[in-house]
Amino acid sequence: MTDELRATDSMWQGSGVDLDAYLARLGYRGDVAPDLATLRGLHTAHVDAIAFDNLDALLGRTVVPIDLDSVQEKIVRQGRGGWCLEQVVLMAAVLDRIGFTFTAFAGRTRVRTGSKFGPALHVALCVEADGERWIHDVSFGAFGPHEPIRLAENARLDGDWSFDLLREPTGEHVLRFLRPEGPVELYGFTTDVRYPSDFELLNHFCLTHPRSPFNHRMVLQRTQPEVRHLLAGSTLTEIRPEGPPTVRELGVDELLSAPREIFGITLDPGDVQALGKILDGP
């Protein structure tokens, strides 16, 4: 496993990442080394600071580059969020720069659909740290883990937000979000290695395919220590460690202010204007 991981790390362009700017974007002031403490610290700081953001797709941009330079410009310098493909490109470069060993994998999302057989659209990383392998997933949004979870059957991540990892007879791992009302299956995956060329195909599907879940309504998500927010269309869901989620509908004015006020996303004034026209309808 280690040799395979090391053979692929050069493709992630760690030498091209502006590590200082990325850490400043996160507000991260801890030590940086290829160890579990850094992996945990970066994971928590990333999901707190950087939202899941599909606004480019909603604005009709059918070509959105996911090379490192473009992703850094958008997320780090412009203060935007990004969807999983963009965030993984950025995070992979950061981990490569620091010296971690890892691969990417793809998962089939089950939350909200209940389907085990949908397309494998979600991507995340499998990282070696302190002699073990860890699922490092910073881009699943409001339902995703706030720190890495060990890649092992029946592994658990306990705390205010709890998760576990099961292994199905098919060989797929299943990541679950453990809620007071019962466990929620997030996605199933294997650790078959995925490459940046696979990301290009997934990106094209998410931007342009009529069955893409991301190009016909606003989807913003953010994970913070005490609360998680999910905006899907005009429906805002707020999740806290205890108690059932709260759900409410937002009006157009609230929807236009939500990216900045709730999700910490900085939008260009032209994008705000274009978004307003979309939300107002024909």
Side-chain angles (χ1 to χ4, degrees), residues 215-234:
N215 59 15
H216 59 279
R217 64 174 181 169
M218 192 186 307
V219 181
L220 305 178
Q221 303 185 56
R222 188 178 182 187
T223 294
Q224 295 178 285
E226 296 180 358
V227 63
R228 293 161 177 245
H229 289 102
L230 164 62
L231 180 63
S234 61

Side-chain angles (χ1 to χ4, degrees), residues 64-66 83 85 198-208:
V64 177
I66 55 169
W83 55 26
L85 297 162
D198 297 314
F199 294 5
E200 295 284 350
L201 293 176
L202 292 175
N203 195 51
H204 181 70
F205 177 95
C206 291
L207 287 167
T208 66

Side-chain angles (χ1 to χ4, degrees), residues 140-183:
F140 201 75
F143 292 93
H146 56 288
E147 63 179 67
I149 183 169
R150 190 164 56 91
L151 178 59
E153 190 169 352
N154 299 319
R156 285 183 62 98
L157 177 60
D158 289 314
D160 289 341
W161 309 99
S162 296
F163 297 81
D164 69 6
L165 197 62
L166 304 182
R167 189 79 178 272
E168 293 188 331
T170 61
E172 276 200 329
H173 304 276
V174 180
L175 180 64
R176 303 194 308 173
F177 186 18
L178 304 180
R179 296 290 298 150
E181 58 270 26

Side-chain angles (χ1 to χ4, degrees), residues 44-255:
T44 300
H46 184 110
V47 299
D48 187 12
I50 299 176
F52 182 101
D53 161 0
N54 79 322
L55 294 174
D56 283 339
L58 184 64
L59 291 167
R61 293 170 183 150
T62 58
V63 178
V64 177
I66 55 169
D67 60 279
L68 177 60
D69 287 344
S70 299
V71 169
Q72 279 198 112
E73 179 64 26
K74 175 181 176 178
I75 297 177
V76 175
R77 298 189 176 93
Q78 295 179 7
R80 285 281 304 278
W83 55 26
C84 65
L85 297 162
E86 296 170 310
Q87 294 197 40
V88 169
V89 166
L90 177 60
M91 179 55 76
V94 168
L95 297 184
D96 189 26
R97 171 70 178 272
I98 294 171
F100 283 97
T101 298
F102 60 90
T103 56
F105 66 89
R108 303 179 190 277
T109 301
R110 299 183 182 186
V111 65
R112 293 184 297 276
T113 69
S115 173
K116 299 181 180 182
F117 309 110
L121 297 179
H122 181 62
V123 291
L125 301 174
C126 177
V127 184
E128 287 192 359
D130 291 12
E132 295 187 282
R133 290 189 294 166
W134 301 83
I135 299 304
H136 183 64
D137 186 351
V138 297
S139 61
F140 201 75
F143 292 93
H146 56 288
E147 63 179 67
I149 183 169
R150 190 164 56 91
L151 178 59
E153 190 169 352
N154 299 319
R156 285 183 62 98
L157 177 60
D158 289 314
D160 289 341
W161 309 99
S162 296
F163 297 81
D164 69 6
L165 197 62
L166 304 182
R167 189 79 178 272
E168 293 188 331
T170 61
E172 276 200 329
H173 304 276
V174 180
L175 180 64
R176 303 194 308 173
F177 186 18
L178 304 180
R179 296 290 298 150
E181 58 270 26
V184 179
E185 292 188 354
L186 302 183
Y187 57 85
F189 67 96
T190 68
T191 55
D192 294 346
V193 178
R194 301 299 174 102
Y195 302 102
S197 57
D198 297 314
F199 294 5
E200 295 284 350
L201 293 176
L202 292 175
N203 195 51
H204 181 70
F205 177 95
C206 291
L207 287 167
T208 66
H209 199 281
R211 289 201 298 272
S212 167
F214 301 122
N215 59 15
H216 59 279
R217 64 174 181 169
M218 192 186 307
V219 181
L220 305 178
Q221 303 185 56
R222 188 178 182 187
T223 294
Q224 295 178 285
E226 296 180 358
V227 63
R228 293 161 177 245
H229 289 102
L230 164 62
L231 180 63
S234 61
T235 304
L236 178 67
T237 301
E238 183 178 277
I239 306 168
R240 295 188 179 275
E242 299 294 334
T246 60
V247 180
R248 67 186 181 96
E249 293 296 314
L250 303 186
V252 172
D253 289 344
E254 290 178 299
L255 288 171

